[in-house]
Amino acid sequence: MSLLLGHIVDALGGSLEGGATRDVVISRIAPLEVAGPGDLSFLSNPRYQQQLAASRAACVIVAPAMRDAALARGACIVADNPYVYFARATQLWRQRNAPAQQAGVHASAVVDPMALVHPTATIGPLCVVERGAQVGAGTILKSRVTVGEGCTIGARCIVHAGVVIGADGFGFAPEQGQWVKIEQLGAVRIGDDVEIGANTCIDRGALQDTVIEDGVKLDNLIQIGHNVHIGKHSAMAGCVGVAGSATIGAHCTVGGGAIVLGHLELADNVHISAATVVTRSLTRPGQYTGMFPIDDNARWEKNAATLKQLHSLRERIKALEQALKAA
Amino acid sequence: MSLLLGHIVDALGGSLEGGATRDVVISRIAPLEVAGPGDLSFLSNPRYQQQLAASRAACVIVAPAMRDAALARGACIVADNPYVYFARATQLWRQRNAPAQQAGVHASAVVDPMALVHPTATIGPLCVVERGAQVGAGTILKSRVTVGEGCTIGARCIVHAGVVIGADGFGFAPEQGQWVKIEQLGAVRIGDDVEIGANTCIDRGALQDTVIEDGVKLDNLIQIGHNVHIGKHSAMAGCVGVAGSATIGAHCTVGGGAIVLGHLELADNVHISAATVVTRSLTRPGQYTGMFPIDDNARWEKNAATLKQLHSLRERIKALEQALKAA
Amino acid sequence: MSLLLGHIVDALGGSLEGGATRDVVISRIAPLEVAGPGDLSFLSNPRYQQQLAASRAACVIVAPAMRDAALARGACIVADNPYVYFARATQLWRQRNAPAQQAGVHASAVVDPMALVHPTATIGPLCVVERGAQVGAGTILKSRVTVGEGCTIGARCIVHAGVVIGADGFGFAPEQGQWVKIEQLGAVRIGDDVEIGANTCIDRGALQDTVIEDGVKLDNLIQIGHNVHIGKHSAMAGCVGVAGSATIGAHCTVGGGAIVLGHLELADNVHISAATVVTRSLTRPGQYTGMFPIDDNARWEKNAATLKQLHSLRERIKALEQALKAA
């Protein structure tokens, strides 16, 4: 479970400096403050420069601007984007040290004969792939994933355990106090290079398809409602809920626990803070937030109680202003 | 995958008007703005009347009040409730075009010999039905559903993939800084015509049963705590959490991401907005809301900071009022 | 399905008083207001003393302070901590009346030959235990649980259906508008006596392990991000999300639907109210809250609209104070 520094630089580029020799054995990738003499580390944020100086790592990946500081400590790899370099190093690590899940359909999976699974795709243990579903080249369904009837997943996707793709969207017409089911006749279409976290759900569309474009990354326990459209390379953290027919642009990010209401449109490059409720369309890029600030419970209680009178407080301020003007 | 207009009206009623002939072939149901010459569409909200005029649909379902506007465009079906008519049309579509999941127990499911599964029920792939559980007539467990020991599900229910019915409720007694488990001796009782979304969890009761009454509709990733009681025909959107021993009336709706705290009572016809936290019992019907309004992050930061002084601002207003009165 | 009072006291201690005889047959444990002549009940909170007086239970567990009130009614068991006594009674009930899930690996489970499952552990139906994973003595994986490669679970844990332990943490480096995957090379380490609720997810660490210490109790549908550390005997209610690299102390509680942002530290004995967003480290024990108070929708709308002007209202109050001082 180790690699030579030389092999790393051969595979990923960057310049080896500060007395680092190609034949140093790296046994682990580790954060600066934890790394020991056999470890490769990285400095992605100049804020942590002090940790760099103190680190016992065998070698540290740094940006050109940090080159001098790194050399003062010892061995380093200088790379344009140390964080991306680190990411690729983890990939190298996995490739060399961990055997990949074998391509093919696990014996315990239930794959409909009318499903289309690419020969290089991996259908893990206890997955269900229904009739007419398609799974693209190199895509991996880890374990206990359901891909519903007629849903398609592109190439090189990773779908973690417990994911449900293509359950019915939540559609009912009210009639005399009861609910009449609207059958969900659409499907789910997922592009290439999408990653979907554990136990996340993506519902099928009512009449048209729910669409997840290329490169989208979804964390765990996310709910994507029917007819939602998520643009390329957008990313969402855990526990997010996106209600039906919302359209989210490309390169958006949504923080953990945020909720996007139905039928809204979010432009490209919109960023939603954690736990924020999006109640209107957002047509301009930017960061948006709405969350009650945390406080000691006692102070929160006072402020929350006053909040219920906020509108009347505004009226009292108005009255004061008028009274003062009149005085 | 198509139906004649005449068959649709024969099955669902409504009057075919505006030059529509019974032998027009309908190949799809589609929204107004998408529908083409082979499609059936519907107008459920008079607000979208402009889309009606512009629609290329072969036929549009409309309410009597929209009849003239529809006739000006062409073929229509006039029905009392176009949205319900549309819902029934999707059902017809599914019946005619998609073979239903076959009744019976899938070979990969694990059903305890002491479970009672109705012969017309469908236990899909990789489901688990434990000892003493009951599944009623016509009910469908899609795939990877767990129904725990002694839990019962009524007739004509649909339970989507990944649902867990009858996991232990979250009950512990604190003792000297540790937790002593309270065994959950109750079960879950689910009525008829209930639909439960993917990866939703309904916990078993501690001493008595958790109860979901007839016609309740639950979306995906919902958590229903132990001893909760949900009244008939209530509906909840995705990511809702209902804490233990809450009682929710009939015909309630709960928006996505809302939280209902434990031991509360919600009357019939209470409607909770998305992402709202219900912290007290609600004895009167109505719409209730509590959510921090979204804003540009910079403006939110200013307002959130001020919010922490809200109580003292009220005191300052009071002081100003007294000073002005004294002046 | 019944026990003699004498057997209960023999097993759990406490003193049988008020005319209770050892040979009374107890057929059920029930809440005070529901309990009938064959039932054992308990009074854990003096607030419910009125329910005690009215209860028809065969016997009621009470604290020494409630002894007189209990004797006035009839048979009782006096115990130091009636709630803990009740908890142990439910355990006794389960032991005596419900056959435990059999130890061993269910035939339908997929356990890698390189996984280490203790002979007294139970791997329920349709579970997946990957290579190098370890499951400790007496631990129960109920059904459809995934334990990922190299993850370890201690002794006497209960893991409910649908849980995913060891899915990849959510780690990506941004590069030219796309996301480069950071392979998650760590694992998950779970201590002894941990309980994990249905469909909860605990991600593996990026470089080091995600750690759940002894005695932690997690409810359903919780998301624990990579590299999180949760201290001993902390408990979290349903739908909580803990973002990556957060460190939560021992004996903490987190209410349902709360969100803890990444890289924060919570001290021991910190208590977070339901639906609160923790946006900063909390170094002192105590109760913390942040949630928008629920209100009638109409009043909420007025207050929420005013909230967006809160900062400017403060400015207006300041101006009024200065004007009044100048006057």
Side-chain angles (χ1 to χ4, degrees):
Chain A
M1 304 286 262
S2 58
L3 280 172
L4 299 186
L5 259 188
H7 289 157
I8 293 171
V9 182
D10 290 350
L12 306 180
S15 90
L16 205 50
E17 305 190 21
T21 50
R22 292 177 49 87
D23 55 0
V24 169
V25 176
I26 297 295
S27 58
R28 207 174 54 148
I29 307 173
L32 280 173
E33 71 279 17
V34 167
D39 299 348
L40 175 67
S41 194
F42 66 101
L43 175 70
S44 63
N45 190 331
R47 258 201 294 172
Y48 299 118
Q49 200 177 327
Q50 272 191 323
Q51 289 181 19
L52 170 65
S55 180
R56 298 167 57 240
C59 182
V60 179
I61 309 160
V62 296
M66 288 292 116
R67 189 173 171 272
D68 289 349
L71 290 177
R73 191 203 69 99
C76 63
I77 295 171
V78 181
D80 285 346
N81 187 333
Y83 197 51
V84 167
Y85 195 102
F86 153 67
R88 294 204 200 286
T90 62
Q91 294 178 5
L92 188 65
W93 214 258
R94 189 158 191 81
Q95 275 167 39
R96 299 290 170 95
N97 291 304
Q101 214 170 345
Q102 237 181 325
V105 176
H106 192 277
S108 65
V110 178
V111 177
D112 190 280
M114 305 289 279
L116 220 69
V117 176
H118 193 277
T120 62
T122 304
I123 310 297
L126 303 171
C127 291
V128 176
V129 182
E130 295 181 8
R131 192 172 46 133
Q134 295 183 31
V135 180
T139 283
I140 298 172
L141 313 189
K142 300 293 256 181
S143 66
R144 302 197 298 101
V145 169
T146 289
V147 183
E149 193 178 324
C151 297
T152 63
I153 306 180
R156 297 174 304 280
C157 294
I158 301 173
V159 185
H160 288 281
V163 165
V164 180
I165 294 168
D168 281 350
F170 197 64
F172 300 92
E175 184 187 39
Q176 297 173 4
Q178 306 200 9
W179 302 103
V180 180
K181 182 171 176 71
I182 299 168
E183 289 289 345
Q184 305 291 301
L185 304 174
V188 178
R189 271 185 293 133
I190 295 173
D192 297 334
D193 302 299
V194 170
E195 185 159 343
I196 303 174
N199 282 348
T200 280
C201 301
I202 306 176
D203 279 351
R204 65 176 62 246
L207 297 175
Q208 301 178 275
D209 292 345
T210 302
V211 177
I212 312 290
E213 292 196 4
D214 293 348
V216 166
K217 310 295 180 187
L218 302 179
D219 197 357
N220 300 353
L221 289 168
I222 289 175
Q223 154 66 359
I224 306 291
H226 53 179
N227 299 99
V228 165
H229 189 119
I230 303 181
K232 286 185 183 183
H233 308 297
S234 284
M236 299 189 182
C239 307
V240 163
V242 181
S245 301
T247 298
I248 292 175
H251 306 290
C252 292
T253 59
V254 182
I259 297 279
V260 180
L261 297 192
H263 295 274
L264 302 181
E265 290 194 31
L266 274 59
D268 294 350
N269 296 299
V270 160
H271 304 285
I272 304 297
S273 300
T276 294
V277 188
V278 183
T279 51
R280 57 182 170 88
S281 290
L282 298 169
T283 57
R284 278 189 294 190
Q287 180 86 32
Y288 297 85
T289 309
M291 121 198 12
F292 203 104
I294 187 172
D295 211 340
D296 295 341
N297 187 69
R299 279 202 298 257
W300 169 79
E301 278 193 352
K302 274 189 180 176
N303 288 322
T306 311
L307 184 53
K308 291 196 159 193
Q309 313 166 16
L310 189 54
H311 186 72
S312 70
L313 287 183
R314 194 183 67 162
E315 299 304 313
R316 283 161 67 183
I317 292 171
K318 232 186 265 178
L320 280 165
E321 286 168 338
Q322 283 164 353
L324 206 66
K325 206 191 271 178
Chain B
M1 304 281 264
S2 57
L3 281 172
L4 299 187
L5 260 188
H7 289 157
I8 295 171
V9 182
D10 289 350
L12 306 180
S15 92
L16 203 52
E17 306 189 18
T21 51
R22 290 178 49 88
D23 55 359
V24 169
V25 176
I26 297 295
S27 57
R28 208 173 55 148
I29 306 174
L32 280 174
E33 71 278 18
V34 166
D39 300 346
L40 175 67
S41 194
F42 66 101
L43 176 70
S44 62
N45 189 331
R47 258 202 294 172
Y48 298 118
Q49 199 178 328
Q50 270 192 325
Q51 288 181 21
L52 169 65
S55 180
R56 297 167 57 241
C59 182
V60 179
I61 308 158
V62 296
M66 289 291 115
R67 187 172 173 274
D68 290 350
L71 290 177
R73 193 203 68 100
C76 62
I77 295 171
V78 181
D80 284 347
N81 187 333
Y83 198 51
V84 168
Y85 195 100
F86 153 67
R88 294 205 199 286
T90 63
Q91 294 178 4
L92 187 66
W93 214 257
R94 188 155 192 84
Q95 275 167 39
R96 298 291 168 96
N97 291 303
Q101 216 170 340
Q102 240 180 322
V105 177
H106 192 275
S108 65
V110 178
V111 177
D112 192 280
M114 305 287 279
L116 220 70
V117 176
H118 193 278
T120 62
T122 304
I123 310 295
L126 304 170
C127 290
V128 175
V129 182
E130 295 181 11
R131 194 173 44 135
Q134 295 184 30
V135 180
T139 283
I140 299 173
L141 314 188
K142 299 293 257 181
S143 65
R144 303 197 297 101
V145 169
T146 289
V147 183
E149 194 178 324
C151 297
T152 61
I153 307 179
R156 296 175 305 279
C157 294
I158 301 173
V159 185
H160 288 281
V163 165
V164 180
I165 294 167
D168 280 352
F170 197 64
F172 301 92
E175 184 186 39
Q176 297 172 6
Q178 305 200 10
W179 301 103
V180 180
K181 183 170 174 75
I182 298 168
E183 289 290 345
Q184 304 292 300
L185 304 173
V188 178
R189 273 187 291 135
I190 295 172
D192 297 334
D193 302 299
V194 170
E195 184 159 345
I196 304 175
N199 283 347
T200 279
C201 301
I202 305 175
D203 279 352
R204 65 175 62 246
L207 297 175
Q208 301 178 276
D209 292 344
T210 303
V211 177
I212 313 289
E213 292 196 4
D214 293 349
V216 166
K217 310 296 179 186
L218 302 178
D219 198 358
N220 300 351
L221 290 166
I222 289 174
Q223 155 64 0
I224 305 292
H226 52 180
N227 299 98
V228 166
H229 188 118
I230 303 181
K232 285 186 184 182
H233 308 297
S234 285
M236 300 190 181
C239 307
V240 162
V242 181
S245 301
T247 297
I248 293 174
H251 305 290
C252 293
T253 59
V254 182
I259 297 279
V260 180
L261 297 192
H263 296 272
L264 302 181
E265 290 194 30
L266 274 59
D268 294 351
N269 296 299
V270 160
H271 303 285
I272 304 297
S273 300
T276 293
V277 188
V278 183
T279 51
R280 56 181 171 88
S281 289
L282 299 168
T283 56
R284 277 190 294 191
Q287 179 87 31
Y288 297 86
T289 309
M291 121 197 14
F292 204 104
I294 189 173
D295 211 338
D296 294 342
N297 186 68
R299 279 202 298 257
W300 170 79
E301 278 193 355
K302 275 189 179 178
N303 288 323
T306 311
L307 184 52
K308 292 195 157 193
Q309 312 167 16
L310 189 54
H311 185 73
S312 70
L313 286 184
R314 194 185 66 164
E315 298 306 311
R316 284 160 69 183
I317 292 171
K318 232 185 262 178
L320 280 165
E321 287 167 340
Q322 283 164 353
L324 206 66
K325 206 192 269 177
Chain C
M1 304 284 264
S2 57
L3 281 170
L4 299 186
L5 259 187
H7 289 158
I8 293 171
V9 182
D10 289 350
L12 306 179
S15 90
L16 205 50
E17 306 190 21
T21 51
R22 290 178 50 86
D23 54 358
V24 168
V25 176
I26 297 295
S27 56
R28 206 172 56 147
I29 306 174
L32 280 174
E33 72 278 18
V34 167
D39 300 345
L40 175 66
S41 193
F42 67 102
L43 176 69
S44 63
N45 190 332
R47 256 201 294 172
Y48 300 116
Q49 200 178 326
Q50 270 191 324
Q51 289 180 20
L52 169 65
S55 181
R56 298 167 56 240
C59 182
V60 179
I61 308 159
V62 296
M66 288 291 115
R67 188 172 171 273
D68 290 347
L71 290 177
R73 193 202 69 99
C76 62
I77 294 171
V78 181
D80 285 347
N81 187 333
Y83 197 50
V84 168
Y85 195 102
F86 153 66
R88 294 204 200 285
T90 63
Q91 294 177 6
L92 188 66
W93 215 257
R94 187 156 193 83
Q95 276 166 39
R96 298 289 169 98
N97 291 303
Q101 214 169 343
Q102 239 181 322
V105 177
H106 192 276
S108 65
V110 178
V111 177
D112 190 281
M114 306 286 280
L116 220 69
V117 176
H118 194 278
T120 62
T122 304
I123 311 295
L126 303 170
C127 290
V128 176
V129 182
E130 296 182 8
R131 193 171 45 131
Q134 295 182 32
V135 180
T139 283
I140 299 171
L141 313 188
K142 300 292 256 183
S143 65
R144 302 197 297 101
V145 169
T146 289
V147 184
E149 194 178 323
C151 296
T152 62
I153 307 179
R156 298 174 305 278
C157 294
I158 301 173
V159 184
H160 288 281
V163 165
V164 180
I165 294 167
D168 281 350
F170 198 63
F172 300 92
E175 184 186 39
Q176 297 173 4
Q178 305 199 10
W179 301 102
V180 180
K181 182 170 176 74
I182 298 169
E183 288 289 346
Q184 304 291 300
L185 305 173
V188 177
R189 271 185 294 135
I190 295 172
D192 296 334
D193 302 299
V194 170
E195 184 159 346
I196 304 175
N199 282 348
T200 279
C201 301
I202 305 176
D203 279 351
R204 65 176 62 245
L207 297 175
Q208 302 178 274
D209 291 346
T210 302
V211 177
I212 312 291
E213 292 195 6
D214 293 350
V216 166
K217 309 295 179 188
L218 302 178
D219 198 357
N220 300 352
L221 289 167
I222 289 176
Q223 154 65 359
I224 305 292
H226 52 180
N227 299 98
V228 164
H229 189 117
I230 303 181
K232 285 185 183 182
H233 307 298
S234 284
M236 300 189 182
C239 307
V240 163
V242 181
S245 300
T247 298
I248 293 174
H251 305 290
C252 293
T253 58
V254 182
I259 296 280
V260 180
L261 297 192
H263 297 270
L264 301 181
E265 290 194 31
L266 274 59
D268 293 351
N269 296 299
V270 160
H271 303 285
I272 305 296
S273 300
T276 293
V277 188
V278 183
T279 51
R280 57 182 172 88
S281 289
L282 299 169
T283 57
R284 279 190 291 193
Q287 180 87 31
Y288 297 86
T289 309
M291 121 199 11
F292 204 105
I294 189 173
D295 210 339
D296 294 342
N297 186 69
R299 279 202 297 256
W300 170 80
E301 278 193 353
K302 274 189 180 177
N303 288 323
T306 311
L307 184 52
K308 292 196 157 192
Q309 313 166 17
L310 188 55
H311 185 72
S312 70
L313 286 184
R314 194 184 67 162
E315 298 306 311
R316 285 161 67 182
I317 293 171
K318 232 186 263 178
L320 280 165
E321 287 167 339
Q322 283 165 354
L324 206 67
K325 205 192 273 177

